[in-house]
PDB file of all heavy atoms in Angstrom:
ATOM      1  N   GLN A  29     -47.398  12.899 -29.905  1.00 97.00           N
ATOM      2  CA  GLN A  29     -46.284  12.584 -30.773  1.00 97.00           C
ATOM      3  C   GLN A  29     -46.630  11.342 -31.620  1.00 97.00           C
ATOM      4  O   GLN A  29     -47.429  10.494 -31.173  1.00 97.00           O
ATOM      5  CB  GLN A  29     -45.043  12.271 -29.975  1.00 97.00           C
ATOM      6  CG  GLN A  29     -44.538  13.391 -29.072  1.00 97.00           C
ATOM      7  CD  GLN A  29     -43.288  12.974 -28.330  1.00 97.00           C
ATOM      8  OE1 GLN A  29     -43.223  13.073 -27.107  1.00 97.00           O
ATOM      9  NE2 GLN A  29     -42.260  12.555 -29.055  1.00 97.00           N
ATOM     10  N   PRO A  30     -46.021  11.213 -32.804  1.00 97.00           N
ATOM     11  CA  PRO A  30     -46.227   9.976 -33.552  1.00 97.00           C
ATOM     12  C   PRO A  30     -45.498   8.826 -32.812  1.00 97.00           C
ATOM     13  O   PRO A  30     -44.436   9.030 -32.280  1.00 97.00           O
ATOM     14  CB  PRO A  30     -45.534  10.305 -34.904  1.00 97.00           C
ATOM     15  CG  PRO A  30     -44.550  11.356 -34.579  1.00 97.00           C
ATOM     16  CD  PRO A  30     -45.162  12.169 -33.484  1.00 97.00           C
ATOM     17  N   PRO A  31     -46.098   7.659 -32.826  1.00 97.00           N
ATOM     18  CA  PRO A  31     -45.458   6.540 -32.068  1.00 97.00           C
ATOM     19  C   PRO A  31     -44.111   6.164 -32.625  1.00 97.00           C
ATOM     20  O   PRO A  31     -43.235   5.766 -31.852  1.00 97.00           O
ATOM     21  CB  PRO A  31     -46.457   5.354 -32.246  1.00 97.00           C
ATOM     22  CG  PRO A  31     -47.758   6.045 -32.596  1.00 97.00           C
ATOM     23  CD  PRO A  31     -47.388   7.277 -33.364  1.00 97.00           C
ATOM     24  N   SER A  32     -43.927   6.285 -33.943  1.00 97.00           N
ATOM     25  CA  SER A  32     -42.665   5.868 -34.521  1.00 97.00           C
ATOM     26  C   SER A  32     -42.265   6.657 -35.736  1.00 97.00           C
ATOM     27  O   SER A  32     -43.139   7.168 -36.444  1.00 97.00           O
ATOM     28  CB  SER A  32     -42.717   4.380 -34.869  1.00 97.00           C
ATOM     29  OG  SER A  32     -43.686   4.134 -35.848  1.00 97.00           O
ATOM     30  N   VAL A  33     -40.990   6.743 -35.940  1.00 97.00           N
ATOM     31  CA  VAL A  33     -40.392   7.368 -37.128  1.00 97.00           C
ATOM     32  C   VAL A  33     -39.235   6.507 -37.572  1.00 97.00           C
ATOM     33  O   VAL A  33     -38.392   6.115 -36.743  1.00 97.00           O
ATOM     34  CB  VAL A  33     -39.915   8.802 -36.849  1.00 97.00           C
ATOM     35  CG1 VAL A  33     -39.048   9.341 -37.982  1.00 97.00           C
ATOM     36  CG2 VAL A  33     -41.097   9.752 -36.579  1.00 97.00           C
ATOM     37  N   SER A  34     -39.205   6.179 -38.856  1.00 97.00           N
ATOM     38  CA  SER A  34     -38.101   5.415 -39.405  1.00 97.00           C
ATOM     39  C   SER A  34     -37.324   6.280 -40.359  1.00 97.00           C
ATOM     40  O   SER A  34     -37.893   7.028 -41.177  1.00 97.00           O
ATOM     41  CB  SER A  34     -38.600   4.183 -40.111  1.00 97.00           C
ATOM     42  OG  SER A  34     -39.236   3.309 -39.204  1.00 97.00           O
ATOM     43  N   VAL A  35     -35.992   6.134 -40.349  1.00 97.00           N
ATOM     44  CA  VAL A  35     -35.148   6.985 -41.182  1.00 97.00           C
ATOM     45  C   VAL A  35     -33.877   6.199 -41.537  1.00 97.00           C
ATOM     46  O   VAL A  35     -33.341   5.444 -40.755  1.00 97.00           O
ATOM     47  CB  VAL A  35     -34.804   8.309 -40.470  1.00 97.00           C
ATOM     48  CG1 VAL A  35     -34.123   8.049 -39.163  1.00 97.00           C
ATOM     49  CG2 VAL A  35     -34.029   9.213 -41.360  1.00 97.00           C
ATOM     50  N   ALA A  36     -33.401   6.414 -42.739  1.00 97.00           N
ATOM     51  CA  ALA A  36     -32.176   5.777 -43.210  1.00 97.00           C
ATOM     52  C   ALA A  36     -30.960   6.590 -42.709  1.00 97.00           C
ATOM     53  O   ALA A  36     -31.056   7.796 -42.510  1.00 97.00           O
ATOM     54  CB  ALA A  36     -32.132   5.705 -44.728  1.00 97.00           C
ATOM     55  N   PRO A  37     -29.870   5.933 -42.503  1.00 97.00           N
ATOM     56  CA  PRO A  37     -28.621   6.638 -42.047  1.00 97.00           C
ATOM     57  C   PRO A  37     -28.285   7.752 -43.049  1.00 97.00           C
ATOM     58  O   PRO A  37     -28.389   7.576 -44.280  1.00 97.00           O
ATOM     59  CB  PRO A  37     -27.581   5.546 -42.054  1.00 97.00           C
ATOM     60  CG  PRO A  37     -28.348   4.282 -41.881  1.00 97.00           C
ATOM     61  CD  PRO A  37     -29.651   4.486 -42.600  1.00 97.00           C
ATOM     62  N   GLY A  38     -27.903   8.902 -42.508  1.00 97.00           N
ATOM     63  CA  GLY A  38     -27.503  10.032 -43.336  1.00 97.00           C
ATOM     64  C   GLY A  38     -28.686  10.935 -43.722  1.00 97.00           C
ATOM     65  O   GLY A  38     -28.456  12.032 -44.224  1.00 97.00           O
ATOM     66  N   LYS A  39     -29.886  10.413 -43.542  1.00 97.00           N
ATOM     67  CA  LYS A  39     -31.056  11.244 -43.903  1.00 97.00           C
ATOM     68  C   LYS A  39     -31.514  12.064 -42.701  1.00 97.00           C
ATOM     69  O   LYS A  39     -30.843  12.105 -41.657  1.00 97.00           O
ATOM     70  CB  LYS A  39     -32.182  10.342 -44.362  1.00 97.00           C
ATOM     71  CG  LYS A  39     -31.851   9.488 -45.573  1.00 97.00           C
ATOM     72  CD  LYS A  39     -31.475  10.390 -46.778  1.00 97.00           C
ATOM     73  CE  LYS A  39     -31.267   9.568 -48.039  1.00 97.00           C
ATOM     74  NZ  LYS A  39     -30.883  10.419 -49.213  1.00 97.00           N
ATOM     75  N   THR A  40     -32.635  12.741 -42.895  1.00 98.00           N
ATOM     76  CA  THR A  40     -33.180  13.649 -41.850  1.00 98.00           C
ATOM     77  C   THR A  40     -34.420  13.095 -41.212  1.00 98.00           C
ATOM     78  O   THR A  40     -35.344  12.653 -41.909  1.00 98.00           O
ATOM     79  CB  THR A  40     -33.482  15.036 -42.466  1.00 98.00           C
ATOM     80  OG1 THR A  40     -32.325  15.610 -42.992  1.00 98.00           O
ATOM     81  CG2 THR A  40     -34.077  15.987 -41.417  1.00 98.00           C
ATOM     82  N   ALA A  41     -34.443  13.101 -39.884  1.00 98.00           N
ATOM     83  CA  ALA A  41     -35.620  12.638 -39.133  1.00 98.00           C
ATOM     84  C   ALA A  41     -36.320  13.826 -38.567  1.00 98.00           C
ATOM     85  O   ALA A  41     -35.668  14.762 -38.001  1.00 98.00           O
ATOM     86  CB  ALA A  41     -35.204  11.673 -38.037  1.00 98.00           C
ATOM     87  N   ARG A  42     -37.637  13.839 -38.654  1.00 98.00           N
ATOM     88  CA  ARG A  42     -38.423  14.925 -38.047  1.00 98.00           C
ATOM     89  C   ARG A  42     -39.461  14.317 -37.149  1.00 98.00           C
ATOM     90  O   ARG A  42     -40.245  13.421 -37.546  1.00 98.00           O
ATOM     91  CB  ARG A  42     -39.080  15.782 -39.147  1.00 98.00           C
ATOM     92  CG  ARG A  42     -38.071  16.603 -39.915  1.00 98.00           C
ATOM     93  CD  ARG A  42     -38.753  17.469 -40.991  1.00 98.00           C
ATOM     94  NE  ARG A  42     -37.760  18.302 -41.687  1.00 98.00           N
ATOM     95  CZ  ARG A  42     -37.022  17.900 -42.696  1.00 98.00           C
ATOM     96  NH1 ARG A  42     -37.168  16.677 -43.155  1.00 98.00           N
ATOM     97  NH2 ARG A  42     -36.187  18.735 -43.261  1.00 98.00           N
ATOM     98  N   ILE A  43     -39.483  14.768 -35.879  1.00 98.00           N
ATOM     99  CA  ILE A  43     -40.395  14.274 -34.883  1.00 98.00           C
ATOM    100  C   ILE A  43     -41.266  15.435 -34.427  1.00 98.00           C
ATOM    101  O   ILE A  43     -40.757  16.492 -34.022  1.00 98.00           O
ATOM    102  CB  ILE A  43     -39.636  13.733 -33.634  1.00 98.00           C
ATOM    103  CG1 ILE A  43     -38.614  12.664 -34.088  1.00 98.00           C
ATOM    104  CG2 ILE A  43     -40.592  13.110 -32.644  1.00 98.00           C
ATOM    105  CD1 ILE A  43     -37.556  12.420 -33.058  1.00 98.00           C
ATOM    106  N   THR A  44     -42.549  15.254 -34.527  1.00 97.00           N
ATOM    107  CA  THR A  44     -43.500  16.363 -34.186  1.00 97.00           C
ATOM    108  C   THR A  44     -44.058  16.134 -32.790  1.00 97.00           C
ATOM    109  O   THR A  44     -44.173  15.038 -32.265  1.00 97.00           O
ATOM    110  CB  THR A  44     -44.614  16.480 -35.195  1.00 97.00           C
ATOM    111  OG1 THR A  44     -45.329  15.202 -35.279  1.00 97.00           O
ATOM    112  CG2 THR A  44     -44.069  16.820 -36.562  1.00 97.00           C
ATOM    113  N   CYS A  45     -44.532  17.252 -32.214  1.00 96.00           N
ATOM    114  CA  CYS A  45     -45.154  17.276 -30.892  1.00 96.00           C
ATOM    115  C   CYS A  45     -46.274  18.315 -30.968  1.00 96.00           C
ATOM    116  O   CYS A  45     -45.981  19.482 -31.213  1.00 96.00           O
ATOM    117  CB  CYS A  45     -44.111  17.640 -29.871  1.00 96.00           C
ATOM    118  SG  CYS A  45     -44.687  17.863 -28.176  1.00 96.00           S
ATOM    119  N   GLY A  46     -47.475  17.856 -30.815  1.00 93.00           N
ATOM    120  CA  GLY A  46     -48.641  18.764 -30.952  1.00 93.00           C
ATOM    121  C   GLY A  46     -49.333  19.052 -29.647  1.00 93.00           C
ATOM    122  O   GLY A  46     -49.487  18.173 -28.786  1.00 93.00           O
TER     123      GLY A  46
END
Side-chain angles (χ1 to χ4, degrees):
Chain A
Q29 299 180 235
S32 62
V33 167
S34 297
V35 58
K39 300 300 185 181
T40 299
R42 291 181 177 83
I43 307 161
T44 58
C45 174

